[in-house]
Amino acid sequence: MSHYVLNVNGAQLGVDAPGEEPLLFVLRNHLNLTGTKYGCGEGQCGACTVLLDGRPTRSCLVPVSTAAGAKIETIEGLERNDRSGKLTPVQQAFMDEDALQCGYCTSGMIMNATALLRRTPHPTDEQILTAMNGNICRCGTYPRIVAAIRRAAQSGEAA
Amino acid sequence: MTARNAFEVEMIDGGAFDPDAPLQFPRRDFLKLFGSGLLIGLAPAPVLAQEAGRRFGEHELPKDIGAWLHIGADNRVTVFTGKVEVGQNIRTSLAQQVAEELRVPFNSITMVMGDTARTPWDMGTFGSRTTPTMGPELRTMAVAARETLVQMAADQWHTSPAALHAADAKVTDSAASRSATYGELTAGKEILKVVSGDPALTAATQWKVAGAPVPKADIRNFVTGRHTFPSDVARPGLLHGAIVRPAGFHATLQSLDASAVQKIPGVQIVHDGDFVGVVAPDYVTAHSAADAVKANWNVPQQPSNAELFAILKKGGNHESDNEPPDRGPEHRTGNIDQALAQAAIKLDQEYTVQYIQHAPLEPRAAVAEWDGLNPTGPRLTVWTGTQRPFAVRDQLAEAFNLKPEQVRVIQPDMGSGYGGKHTGEAAVEAARLAKAAGKPVKLLWTRRDEFTWAYFRPAGVIGIRAGITRGGKLTAWEHHNYNSGGAALGTPYDVPNQLVQYHPADSPLRQGSYRSLAAAANNFARESHIDALAHAAKMDPLEFRLRNLSNPRMRAVLQAAAEKFHWVPQVSSLRPGNGGISGDSENSENDGVPQVSSLRPGTNGSGENNWVPPVSSLRPGTNGSGGNDGVSQVSSLRPGTGYGIACGTDKGGYVATCAEISIDPATKKMHVVRVTQAWESGAVINPEGLRNQQAGAIVQGLGGALFEQILFADGKILNPLFSQYRVPRFKDAPQIEVVLVDRKDLPSAGAGEIGLIGIAPAVANAYAAATGTRLHQLPLAPNQS
């Protein structure tokens, strides 16, 4: 058990955890940031995607000891904290396209799509499919998610 | 209209269901929650006198209540139902129906669902029963509430109810220019009314809120990560659990050495018989401790995929040669043997489907908390993801020798189930660990657990023999399903001579419900067979279907799908003079190894399958008016492209699916390019939700059609990870077009399941059109990465 200070959504948060504990469970169980989901524990489904220094990362495969020092962004950090409650273009587009059914994959989808649009603000469909192919939606809402990403790209706002 | 009608009883492995279990009427909760207002309960049995004007707590209430509806002074409407939301979007569609009948805004409604202490008993959320049963029940209550409110206003204003009008959560007296909100009418009062009967519901043609597209309720909480799924529930002092899983199915524990684990601070071993679990302060410690426990298991020898289909056909893995009892045919008309003997063209073929796993993205999860200090005995509360919270409550009560009233199961809207979460294993395991630890415990199944210890969609063998006239009319249809199930077993086609039978078997693997049950398997076999017959008769597959279908609803979806898809007639290029199509095909070798059956077109030996590949499949827009005169016609189409069509019906829904596939000339990989699906299930309640369900069903169905299969041997699952079990991903999703046929004159049927029964045969038929090779097994492309 060691003490780590994590930079999560702009805040410095201290946790005591075994160094090998995956960032996913530190976020969920120690910091109560449960928007990031467990889906497989082997980096195959993308439900646990967070941004580590801007890169979409499977938090189930990252030990907390490695994550300390990086800038960590989770789904909870996307919503504006300025009382406006304004959503990011990707979040808004998921709502506008009704791009979910059970919603369990949604956090990971939004984080991955956010990273894509920050990197490539106007992706082609092929770029969207390639970037998103590692995220699984068992309800099968892929076409709506692609539509949502296109819509967010056209919003004129930065992701 | 009753909450306990004769539901289709699904295959459920474990978990007793008792329809006569007493309902816990949550009187205390209501008093505490509401204090005042109008409370309407629905009694499914039409015997109860209406009770009005009494205080909530002052009289005996009926034990058998289907749902509750409360209207508060603030105009908030709260509806209580035991149904659960799992992504099928009934939280939205049920609220739409209440809003419609009650004449209130959609957003004023809160749905309380799937909490055994707060909602009426419900058998479970499955079988597409919510829309046809719970929907009308809630509408009945809402009508009664509206009529009560109008009567209250009439009494208050000394006028006739007929002079008043209810709209937008208000009762209005237009003549006297006065109105009162529902909240004003009920404020400070405690009105309880139990209703039953069959009031006049608002016709679908008059719907304003229902029938319109509404986004998922609470959608904002999902895009912000704020929604609490079962696996997200946290309690003060929560510990984390892990289970030491047996080395295989039906294993017994031989020895246990937990010495290495007992030294780890904060770790507790829970051992009781063959149950071995670990509790620890954090997730990673719990799991490393479980891994460090040395357990020796005795795993008996068990079959593998190689023997699977032979076992299912003989009814199970019986040592003796005794045949399982024959249940007899589900359906028999005419004389099948005679009809087959006289048929001009016959086709005999066996089809197989493998076990598949639901693989909901949220694995089974439970948080269990005991309250041992309650003076009336221990209380157990479990938050868990399940489609049957009341059944899980009873399962927990039985496991811990409690009365059902001592157990509360709460089901937060979960990361779906697709029929896979009917049972409460994770709930029982978490409760065992929590009881031993004396603290609340969370148990989250690993993906490997989910792939191994959850139940499977049944594997099956389906044998079909059919005969047609030279003019393409079906005369004989014999359909045997071994093990996979009886859903959509009967043929929707007009056939005078039929024998249709389901043969249950002792399944080598634990099996249970799956979205659409066996309808996907039966429909795959039937629609593949129909397609092969059409080609044998030198008829366009759409034309052949229409020639043999009189059901107008089935015809309507077929025609709607074909039109939108730009279906072009496809005619086989049968060699001139080849009139000797007999019927008996070779039996496929069901040795369990998925294989491509490659019956070469044009072969014509006896015992060979004589289906002949279609060669005409034109692009949309090209001239396809080829006629069906049986003259060979070869189109100029891109090689490696094929169109396929299929249709089906079950549970009151009708579906037709057209698919275009392409085969990569280099890699031979099959890609489903586009799919058009027409759907009819009576009056549409939420077109947005319905389109979403249909498209999702196509994508999910594509997994079972193309890739998904459980590989097993000797009591172990050989591919228990997403890296080994291929599910549909973004790049697999075709371009999808959904055509909704809205029949406002028909009652609404459930739509969550049957949308996936058309895709597998449509793709298989397209593959046959593209390659001349017909595949008879699901998955169709098991080795495709």
Side-chain angles (χ1 to χ4, degrees), chain B residues 412-467:
Chain B
D413 295 5
M414 67 175 169
S416 208
Y418 319 114
K421 289 181 181 167
H422 285 194
T423 49
E425 298 85 350
V428 173
E429 289 164 354
R432 289 178 94 153
L433 297 176
K435 192 175 185 190
K439 286 198 172 161
V441 169
K442 178 187 285 193
L443 179 69
L444 172 61
W445 276 25
T446 65
R447 182 53 58 187
R448 184 182 290 272
D449 287 344
E450 189 70 33
F451 268 117
T452 308
W453 299 100
Y455 54 85
F456 303 91
R457 194 280 311 264
V461 179
I462 297 163
I464 299 182
R465 289 202 300 164

Side-chain angles (χ1 to χ4, degrees), chain B residues 7-11 125-133 418-419 422 486-489 513-520 553 648-655 679-682 747-757:
Chain B
F7 282 80
E8 175 181 348
V9 175
E10 301 205 325
M11 284 183 292
T125 305
F126 55 81
S128 293
R129 300 305 300 163
T130 301
T131 297
T133 59
Y418 319 114
H422 285 194
L489 191 67
S513 297
Y514 183 99
R515 191 178 189 184
S516 91
L517 301 177
R553 297 175 72 181
T649 177
D650 195 26
K651 294 174 181 158
Y654 290 82
V655 65
W679 172 257
E680 191 260 289
S681 55
S748 307
E753 301 190 78
I754 304 307
L756 57 62
I757 71 174

Side-chain angles (χ1 to χ4, degrees), chain B residues 4 29 67 105 221 309 340 388 426 509 532 551 619 638 642 702:
Chain B
R4 295 174 191 188
D29 284 348
N221 285 340
F309 298 124
L340 279 168
R388 301 168 75 232
L509 297 187
N551 185 315
R619 268 166 298 208
R638 293 162 285 176
L702 209 51

Side-chain angles (χ1 to χ4, degrees), chain A residues 25 28-29 37-39 42 44 79 85 91 98 100-102 104 130 132-133 136 138-139 142 144, chain B residues 216 220 223 226 231-232 240 283 358-359 361 418 446-447 688 692 696 721-723 728-731:
Chain A
F25 295 106
R28 289 178 53 78
N29 299 334
K37 306 300 183 195
Y38 170 87
E42 52 161 346
Q44 287 286 325
E79 203 175 353
Q91 289 174 309
D98 210 14
L100 55 131
Q101 286 181 21
C102 80
Y104 193 78
T130 300
M132 300 301 294
N133 209 46
I136 293 174
R138 289 291 291 143
C139 299
Y142 299 126
R144 281 171 184 257
Chain B
K216 182 179 176 71
R220 191 186 168 102
V223 302
R226 208 176 278 136
S231 55
D232 298 334
H240 295 267
Y283 179 92
H358 312 78
L361 205 56
Y418 319 114
T446 65
R447 182 53 58 187
E688 184 72 5
N692 207 340
L721 299 169
F722 275 135
S723 52
R729 291 178 178 272
F730 273 89
K731 287 186 176 176

Side-chain angles (χ1 to χ4, degrees), chain B residues 367-630:
Chain B
V367 172
E369 182 171 275
W370 288 85
D371 172 7
L373 301 177
N374 195 299
T376 58
R379 299 270 158 170
L380 169 63
T381 303
V382 178
W383 291 259
T384 191
T386 174
Q387 293 171 249
R388 301 168 75 232
F390 287 86
V392 172
R393 177 197 64 178
D394 296 347
Q395 201 179 340
L396 287 162
E398 193 182 332
F400 298 99
N401 201 20
L402 300 169
K403 298 191 188 86
E405 308 86 83
Q406 292 172 280
V407 182
R408 178 180 185 184
V409 171
I410 302 168
Q411 143 54 59
D413 295 5
M414 67 175 169
S416 208
Y418 319 114
K421 289 181 181 167
H422 285 194
T423 49
E425 298 85 350
V428 173
E429 289 164 354
R432 289 178 94 153
L433 297 176
K435 192 175 185 190
K439 286 198 172 161
V441 169
K442 178 187 285 193
L443 179 69
L444 172 61
W445 276 25
T446 65
R447 182 53 58 187
R448 184 182 290 272
D449 287 344
E450 189 70 33
F451 268 117
T452 308
W453 299 100
Y455 54 85
F456 303 91
R457 194 280 311 264
V461 179
I462 297 163
I464 299 182
R465 289 202 300 164
I468 56 175
T469 65
R470 200 159 298 283
K473 287 289 279 185
L474 283 161
T475 54
W477 189 265
E478 185 173 0
H479 180 136
H480 295 273
N481 178 307
Y482 299 90
N483 185 63
S484 101
L489 191 67
T491 175
Y493 294 94
D494 310 325
V495 197
N497 303 287
Q498 293 188 32
L499 195 164
V500 174
Q501 188 163 356
Y502 164 49
H503 307 262
D506 287 335
S507 163
L509 297 187
R510 184 179 173 222
Q511 61 186 21
S513 297
Y514 183 99
R515 191 178 189 184
S516 91
L517 301 177
N522 282 318
N523 215 53
F524 161 67
R526 180 169 43 245
E527 285 297 293
S528 297
H529 211 76
I530 288 285
D531 214 68
L533 285 168
H535 288 295
K538 297 184 274 182
M539 286 175 64
D540 168 54
L542 171 62
E543 155 88 22
F544 181 83
R545 284 173 171 83
L546 292 172
R547 188 172 292 190
N548 288 286
L549 279 170
S550 57
N551 185 315
R553 297 175 72 181
M554 188 67 97
R555 292 175 63 90
V557 288
L558 260 176
Q559 286 162 325
E563 186 186 334
K564 201 77 174 172
F565 183 80
H566 301 291
W567 179 263
V568 286
Q570 301 178 47
V571 184
S572 295
S573 62
L574 200 61
R575 280 179 291 145
N578 181 353
I581 290 173
S582 59
D584 298 336
S585 69
E586 65 178 3
N587 287 323
S588 45
E589 303 226 338
N590 291 307
D591 58 3
V593 180
Q595 51 183 294
V596 173
S597 162
S598 55
L599 297 168
R600 272 162 298 285
T603 54
N604 193 22
S606 75
E608 284 285 343
N609 183 330
N610 266 304
W611 97 275
V612 177
V615 286
S616 166
S617 55
L618 302 174
R619 268 166 298 208
T622 55
N623 182 2
S625 56
N628 284 315
D629 54 5

Side-chain angles (χ1 to χ4, degrees), chain B residues 37 140 257:
Chain B
T140 297
D257 175 6

